[in-house]
Each structure stands twice: as structure tokens, then as C-alpha cells.
Amino acid sequence: MPASTVHAIVERHRGNSMLSAPYLSPAASGPRDLSTDQPIAPIDPAVAAAVTQALLDGQTHYVDVPGIGPLREALVAHLEGLGAKGYAVASTAVTAGIQESRFLSLQVVGEGFDDVAIPAVVHPGARQAIGLRAKTVHTIPVDTVGGMLPTLDGLRQVLDAGCKLVYLESPVRFTGATFDGAAVQQIADMLTAADAYAIWDQGLSPWAGDDYVSLGASAGMAERATLIGEAFPGSGLESLGIGYLATSEARFAGVAKIKQVMAICTSTPSQFAALAASERFGARRSDLRASLASARSSAVRAAGDASLQVVDGDTVHILALGTGNTASASTLARALADGGFGFAAGDAFGAPGFVRLTASSADSLAAALDTLR
Amino acid sequence: MAENTKAKRGTDILYSLIAEARGYSDVIILGRGDPDFDTPANIIEAGRKTLEERAGEPAPSAGILPLRKAIAERVKRVNGIDVDPETEVVITNGGQEALFLMVIATVGPGDEVIIPEPNYNTYKDAIAFAGGVSVGVSTDPKQAFRVDPERIREAVTPRTKALLLVSPNNPAASVISRDDQMALLRIAEEHDLVIIADDIYDLLTYDGHEHTSPASLPGGKARTLTLNALSKTYAMTGWRAGWIIGPADLMVEVRKHKEGVSGGCSIVTQYAALEALTGPQEAMEEMRSTYVRRRQVVLEILDAMKLPYGEPQGGQFVFVDIATTGMSSLDLSQKILTEQHVLAYPGGAFSESMNNFLRMTFLQPEEKLREGLTKMKRVMDEVLA
């Protein structure tokens, strides 16, 4: 018989639907894994060599809680490349991956906010992070035709209802859709008018078009928007767990405090890998974007030929597909699974009836679509 | 002066001392629990191979199964605890994340957690984050900081949900005897408490003292979560390699919390950790032997200086009694750092009741230990004069 305290703990957590949101486990391995958020790329040998050298040089000890200085500088430079203004190195933290960024932003930056608004279609990691300490959750409806982006009217309604903290993804993790510049400015204006705060997951932004606009690029948002994402995606770092969180000076002290409490620091091999990757990121990203863009175009055509609904998206690596109903979606999922392809099920994101395929190479999407013909 | 300690959070005090220490090129670090050894070469090599050959391998939330199997074997061999690697082991970003997860997975708003004092500050911070209440139970330096089961029993209230046991203790370096662990487990059973156990120094005990994991005792496993890590014994502080073991039902919730907090751990760290546990152990054994020698050196010096201390039964530090100086531990550690560039941690940063102690590690070469202690004594003599 289990001890009753243990039983009570287990039951308390089982009743927490947010915490129990499905985790996107790695679905497969190798070129048939199309389940990931980011394209999986091999690590540059020069990055591996740089990490090894750092370890041999003694970088095996505790480092600064918010991350090593050069990496934080590289991350801020990356944010500035996206147009973000006013985010300082001193208030930017290296994290152990995007999920830690979600946790720190929602539970630490978000401390003091009893309510949070999230899109109806959102990465399950956001729900899990919210579930760790109770908040009242408001749902922002999404445009099911337009890439499942949260509607601006829906955002306005939750703000008018008094919610002061919103969590937004752009690109949307499930579809790759992005808010355009005008929408981003409207969001910034709404936040300012409502004296509200945003957490902006821009982790997929390297795969969006050159016209991508970060919320951090709008005037005044450095004080209102915390930016999170993976560090230099597409560099082969996905399994090393390395991300970022950039926020205002006022909110950073709390982040650093809890980062110390929960981890002391981020793994040094991961940090030095990200630092080395940052030096090669621009060229690598360009090459990968070009090849994935071409592959996606072909895949969209193939999906149309297979009578599959292609959801609008702006990133070169994500293809969200639907069939119009959940029964057919199950058939779709089964076909992919039988073909040995990992994929992300829409149910996990709040989009039943859809699946997401993430391309890591020009061939991987084509092979999956062949299975679906 | 003790007010300084109360006003500032303990961890903040320690980090501000660390920051000042960085400014001195000749500083002798006797404060932080970061071994002065670099990670053994075979472990670094495992990290290199992982980077080159399998960096793209997915990192599951509970950790790679080979590592969980190695941990299960280790805890069976070292601690006498049987765990199923599939369901009763979760890999964490160091012992620190393990501690955080164990607390937030078990403690709810208003729950009381009994913690013997002195203790590592992070426990109180994690409990506060979970909305719980830390209930400190003092230990007596004259009894070698023994965790007295009767004092623990007196601290139990209807709101008590957990008992947090750290052995060997940080910073007091005391080891809970097997008999006391049995008595504490009986209390936990009587009051249906969860035990949160920190085993991170389990391989570092001295003078015949032996570590007993609560989960190894009859009836212990069903109500105990236990953390450990490779930071201290394998000099892997920067890698962040730790774990939690516990009963399967509770570990489901631990894993969910891990998923919500940070997801899977770095694949490079995990394969390096696997090598640490399954590869050659000579380097680890040599480090352990060195700590034993250094400990002896430190105690001899302290005895010669007539500085009393709590008997370091385990861990990597000594808790030195500075009561004769009449200074608070914060003021004295600050003075020693500023004037002599030696960093030892103030006991008051760990517990308000320990403001008469300094924690000093023996994580430096012998000559540095001698030099550091000599410089500390210089300051203390000046204060006493």
C-alpha cells in the first residue's frame, strides 16, 4: 500500500491538467525523425573541437549563473540582428534549453501575475511550465485558416478582461506562421495600452523569412517583453540543451536567483558549443534555409497532390498538415508511423486533426510525403 | 553585525564574496564546493566522442537508458538501494536541479518541511518557491551536529509533509548514523512523511563514519526521494550531471516536473556521466585519497592553531568555530577576504544560528591550504589582540 502522503502528492499532480500536458518526446532517431521543433543538423567538427579544447583547458567547473560572458554577448548580438532593441548582456541569461527558458519566463518573470493568456494552439511545453505553479489560464483563439496565429481581437479581449501576462509564439511552434510587422506593432501597442507584459517565444525565427519581426524590435518592448528561444538552432546543438532568455533589468534579478537555485549554472560543454556555433551560425543558417525552402516547396505540392490540407506557415522547415477531421488524421499519423517517421501530433499543441512535420534535410520531407501518397 | 546576515539572503552573501574574490589574483579559495581537480581525461574523451559521433541523438526527459542503468547499478552497489532504471531514475542538470525537482514535486503551498540546521541555502529557496515552509531544527556543535531524532519529532506538526536529510551534511560535515537514520525513518513512517535525501557526499566519509541512505532501510524506499551527482566525486561541477531515484509512483511526477522545468539533459553530459560511472575509477579514487590526506593536514593545522571545529565526518569541508573572535562569521569572512585574500564561507550564510562558524573546504593543494589557514589565523589573532 502506498504511503498516503505519497498517494496524495501523486493525486494532486494527476489532477493538474497543465502539468500533465503531453511531452514531446523524441519520436525517432536519424533522418526519419520529423518530430522536432528545430531542424536537426550535424554538429560542425570545428564546434566539437572547440568544446573539447575548452574542456581540456579546464572549463569543467562552475561558471557564472547567467552564463559565460562571450556567449551572452553573442546571444544579444543575435537578438539585435532580429531588430530587438534595448536587451542588455547583463539581463540576458543562457538556459539549459528552450524548456528552461519557458519555465523561467512563465514562473519567474511571470511571478506576481496570477493570470496568463496563451494561444489555443501552443507548444505543450508552455502548458507544462505553467502547470508547475498554478496560474489562471486564459485562452487566445487562433486563426485556423491563417497559420493558427492568435487573433489580435482575441488578444485584445484577454487584455481587456484584465490579464496582464501573455505568452506568444512567433513563429508559431506548430505551423511556423509569423506575425507580420504591422501585427507585431499592434501587439506592442495593445500591451502598452493595457500595461501588460509578454513572453515572446521566437525560437523558430531563424527559419522564417528575412521580413521576420521580433516583438523586441518595437519601441519600449525591452521593458515589457521577455524574449526566449534556442541558441543558434540548426547547428547540431539540439540535444545539448542550450537556450536563452532576454528580459528587462528589473526582472532579471529574479531570473538569476532561480537559475542559481535550480541549476547553479548551465552545462559548460553546451555553452562552449553554442559559443563556437555562434561564430558559424550566419553562413550555416543561410545554407540550410536555402535547401529547406526548396524542399518545402516540393513538399507542399506533394501534399496537395495527396489531398492534404497544408496549413499556412512562414518557416522553411515546418509543414503542418491536416485532413479535415480527426479520423483521417489518425490514418495519416498511422501511415507516418508505419513508415518509421517521427512527427508531432497536433493534439499535443491543441490542434487535433493535424500533424507537424519538421524537415532537417531536403530528402526527409519528400520521403515522408511519399509515404502519404 | 549579525543583522547583515539576516537582511541578505544566504546565497546572495556567498555570491557577493565570490565576486569580490575574483578580483584578487592571489586569492586562495577555501569557500566554494568546487573541486580543484579538472575532470578526468577519460570522461572528457567520452564527451568528445559524443560530440563527434552522437550529438544528434535525442535526449529523453528521464535521461538515456544506459546511464539510468549505470546509476541503478551504482546505487545498488554503493547505497544498497534497488531501483528499476526504467521507472525509478531521472537524470538531472546536476544535484542542484535534482534538489529543486524533489522539492517542487513533493511540497505544496503551506506544507512544512523539516530541515536540520545548518543546511545548504538552496533547500530553503526551493521550498519557498514551492510555497512551502522550512522548519529548521537546530543541531548542537557539542554533539558533532548530530541530527537528534527527538528534536525532529518535536518539530512535526499536522502540516509537516517532508523531512529533508543531508548526510554528510553541508556545511557542518556531520554524518547521520545508521541508528539515527532508522529512528528518523520511524518518525517519517509514524507521521507519514516523505523523506527528501541528499546523498551527494556519500562516498566522502572519514574515520569509520559510514553513509546510510534512508531509501536503503526497510520501508524507506517507498517514501524517499534521493539525489546524487557526479560534481564532487568526479570533479564534474561544470557538466551538470545528477540524478534522482525514488519509488515509481512518485518518480512519474518527478519526471513530469523535469519535463516542465527543463526537459532532457545534455546528451554530451549524459554520455560523459556514463563513462564516469562505468569507466576506470582510478582518478576518482585518487581524488578521494587526496581529500583524506588534505583533511588530515587541515585538522593538524587547526589543532596547532588551537582553532576548534566540528569533527568533519564527511564531505569536503571543515566547520571552524570562530566564537572566540567575537565577530560574526560574515564580518570575519569579509575581513579575511579583503585583507588576506582568502575566501572561506560564513556559517551565518547557511543558518542564522551558525554565525560563529566559518566553512572552509579542503579543495586546494596542501601548500595552499597551509598558506590560507596561516593567513586566516593572522586575521583572527589581530582581532583577538
Side-chain angles (χ1 to χ4, degrees):
Chain A
M1 287 285 284
S4 62
T5 295
V6 170
H7 184 69
I9 290 168
V10 170
E11 287 305 304
R12 173 162 60 89
H13 293 317
R14 279 194 190 147
N16 184 337
S17 60
M18 298 291 273
L19 183 63
S20 300
Y23 180 75
L24 287 188
S25 293
S29 199
R32 293 199 166 212
D33 182 5
L34 307 186
S35 69
T36 57
D37 286 359
Q38 302 283 357
I40 303 299
I43 202 163
D44 189 318
V47 170
V51 177
T52 304
Q53 192 57 54
L55 295 170
L56 291 170
D57 288 343
Q59 292 293 348
T60 60
H61 299 272
Y62 293 127
V63 291
D64 287 345
V65 169
I68 58 175
L71 178 55
R72 295 165 76 194
E73 290 168 9
L75 288 166
V76 169
H78 171 67
L79 296 180
E80 289 170 350
L82 293 171
K85 304 182 193 54
Y87 291 88
V89 172
S91 51
T92 297
V94 178
T95 67
I98 181 63
Q99 187 58 28
E100 187 176 284
S101 299
R102 289 191 185 105
F103 166 72
L104 286 169
S105 59
L106 283 160
Q107 290 293 353
V108 183
V109 176
E111 189 157 36
F113 296 95
D114 294 330
D115 297 43
V116 62
I118 61 173
V121 175
V122 72
H123 194 283
R127 298 182 206 278
Q128 286 177 299
I130 290 167
L132 290 167
R133 281 195 307 187
K135 286 188 184 304
T136 301
V137 179
H138 304 269
T139 302
I140 308 169
V142 300
D143 181 352
T144 51
V145 174
M148 301 188 190
L149 279 162
T151 65
L152 296 185
D153 281 343
L155 176 59
R156 187 172 294 111
Q157 281 171 23
V158 296
L159 292 173
D160 287 347
C163 184
K164 297 293 188 187
L165 178 66
V166 299
Y167 182 94
L168 298 169
E169 299 168 346
S170 180
V172 174
R173 287 269 170 179
F174 188 63
T175 65
T178 59
F179 290 107
D180 64 21
V184 170
Q185 190 57 54
Q186 281 186 269
I187 292 169
D189 292 342
M190 279 194 269
L191 291 171
T192 304
D195 193 22
Y197 201 85
I199 298 162
W200 182 264
D201 174 1
Q202 55 182 33
L204 301 189
S205 58
W207 316 113
D210 291 332
D211 56 352
Y212 174 77
V213 180
S214 167
L215 182 61
S218 294
M221 286 297 107
E223 296 303 314
R224 284 189 187 283
T226 291
L227 310 179
I228 64 173
E230 292 89 329
F232 312 109
S235 301
L237 307 181
E238 280 63 45
S239 290
L240 272 65
I242 191 94
Y244 65 85
L245 181 156
T247 190
S248 65
E249 183 184 343
R251 295 191 178 270
F252 187 73
V255 171
K257 173 187 165 184
I258 297 301
K259 173 69 180 178
Q260 190 280 331
V261 171
M262 65 184 277
I264 299 182
C265 62
T266 299
S267 155
T268 53
S270 297
Q271 292 198 64
F272 282 93
L275 180 61
S278 71
E279 296 160 9
R280 298 156 177 81
F281 180 63
R284 193 168 163 118
R285 171 185 167 231
S286 292
D287 291 346
L288 191 52
R289 271 179 66 182
S291 83
L292 292 178
S294 169
R296 189 178 186 278
S297 297
S298 302
V300 168
R301 283 193 295 275
D305 292 344
S307 303
L308 295 169
Q309 173 192 351
V310 175
V311 182
D312 282 353
D314 300 308
T315 61
V316 295
H317 72 310
I318 281 177
L319 190 65
L321 301 172
T323 63
N325 62 71
T326 53
S328 307
S330 294
T331 306
L332 182 71
R334 205 158 38 245
L336 287 167
D338 288 347
F341 292 97
F343 60 92
D347 303 60
F349 289 78
F354 294 86
V355 298
R356 182 191 75 180
L357 302 176
T358 300
S360 295
S361 69
D363 298 332
S364 54
L365 257 189
L369 267 296
D370 279 345
T371 299
L372 299 176
R373 283 186 200 281
Chain B
M1 296 305 178
E3 290 304 314
N4 286 341
T5 320
K6 285 181 187 169
K8 286 178 76 169
R9 182 174 153 257
T11 306
D12 293 339
I13 293 169
L14 299 180
Y15 272 88
S16 80
L17 289 169
I18 291 171
E20 179 180 336
R22 276 206 186 128
Y24 304 130
S25 59
D26 60 343
V27 70
I28 298 175
I29 303 287
L30 303 178
R32 197 166 200 182
D34 190 352
D36 57 314
F37 299 106
D38 290 332
T39 306
N42 63 305
I43 298 170
I44 292 177
E45 173 62 14
R48 181 196 68 76
K49 280 192 72 173
T50 305
L51 279 162
E52 291 183 2
E53 297 170 14
R54 55 199 324 175
E57 186 174 311
S61 59
I64 58 172
L65 188 55
L67 179 56
R68 287 185 275 142
K69 286 181 175 174
I71 288 165
E73 188 280 328
R74 191 269 191 200
V75 300
K76 171 70 177 170
R77 176 171 44 83
V78 174
N79 307 118
I81 305 170
D82 277 308
V83 293
D84 180 346
E86 302 258 9
T87 59
E88 298 180 327
V89 183
V90 169
I91 311 300
T92 62
N93 287 315
Q96 193 86 342
E97 188 183 54
L99 180 172
F100 184 74
L101 289 170
M102 292 197 304
V103 168
I104 66 171
T106 54
V107 178
D111 289 345
E112 292 181 358
V113 181
I114 295 174
I115 323 180
E117 288 182 353
N119 54 71
Y120 179 51
N121 320 72
T122 298
Y123 302 124
K124 294 186 279 286
D125 293 331
I127 292 166
F129 182 89
V133 177
S134 298
V135 176
V137 173
S138 63
T139 57
D140 190 344
K142 296 187 182 66
Q143 293 187 4
F145 301 99
R146 173 184 172 238
V147 178
D148 186 339
E150 288 317 304
R151 285 194 187 184
I152 298 293
R153 186 188 298 282
E154 287 165 9
V156 176
T157 75
R159 289 175 300 283
T160 307
K161 284 296 179 295
L163 175 56
L164 203 158
L165 298 175
V166 186
S167 180
N169 176 272
N170 177 9
S174 55
V175 171
I176 303 176
S177 69
R178 184 180 176 84
D179 286 346
D180 281 348
Q181 288 280 26
M182 292 283 299
L184 292 165
L185 175 57
R186 295 289 89 79
I187 295 169
E189 287 175 337
E190 280 169 36
H191 297 280
D192 195 16
L193 308 178
V194 169
I195 296 176
I196 298 172
D198 181 341
D199 275 13
I200 202 165
Y201 293 107
D202 63 353
L203 287 177
L204 295 169
T205 57
Y206 313 102
D207 293 345
H209 293 282
E210 289 186 0
H211 171 71
T212 302
S213 293
S216 69
L217 300 171
K221 184 186 162 187
R223 62 177 66 250
T224 304
L225 292 175
T226 307
L227 81 82
N228 214 321
L230 301 179
S231 301
K232 312 298 183 182
T233 43
Y234 290 89
M236 290 179 75
T237 47
W239 296 73
R240 315 318 294 132
W243 65 81
I244 302 169
I245 59 170
D249 50 359
L250 208 40
M251 289 302 287
V252 167
E253 308 310 322
V254 167
R255 182 179 50 74
K256 272 197 262 182
H257 282 73
K258 172 66 172 142
E259 289 168 358
V261 167
S262 64
C265 294
S266 162
I267 203 77
V268 173
T269 288
Q270 292 193 66
Y271 278 105
L274 180 61
E275 172 64 15
L277 288 172
T278 61
Q281 300 296 304
E282 285 83 2
M284 186 274 284
E285 291 295 344
E286 196 173 322
M287 284 190 272
R288 196 160 66 158
S289 298
T290 302
Y291 297 141
V292 172
R293 283 198 304 277
R294 288 175 177 179
R295 171 185 175 275
Q296 194 54 38
V297 165
V298 167
L299 297 187
E300 286 170 1
I301 297 171
L302 290 172
D303 287 340
M305 292 177 174
K306 295 188 174 26
L307 280 171
Y309 50 84
E311 179 201 354
Q313 300 170 350
Q316 294 171 321
F317 28 74
V318 183
F319 217 32
V320 182
D321 188 336
I322 51 125
T324 52
T325 66
M327 291 184 79
S328 79
S329 61
L330 172 62
D331 289 338
L332 184 59
S333 72
Q334 183 68 67
K335 188 175 175 64
I336 291 169
L337 177 60
T338 304
E339 293 179 9
Q340 294 292 328
H341 300 175
V342 175
L343 174 60
Y345 278 176
F350 295 92
S351 172
E352 289 173 11
S353 64
M354 296 292 154
N355 224 349
N356 288 334
F357 289 87
L358 290 182
R359 191 194 84 168
M360 55 165 293
T361 67
F362 33 91
L363 298 174
Q364 290 291 319
E366 191 178 314
E367 63 273 16
K368 287 287 183 189
L369 292 173
R370 292 186 186 281
E371 183 185 350
L373 276 161
T374 301
K375 289 180 172 180
M376 279 175 58
K377 186 68 165 51
R378 199 172 291 155
V379 172
M380 293 171 72
D381 285 345
E382 177 200 313
V383 170
L384 285 166

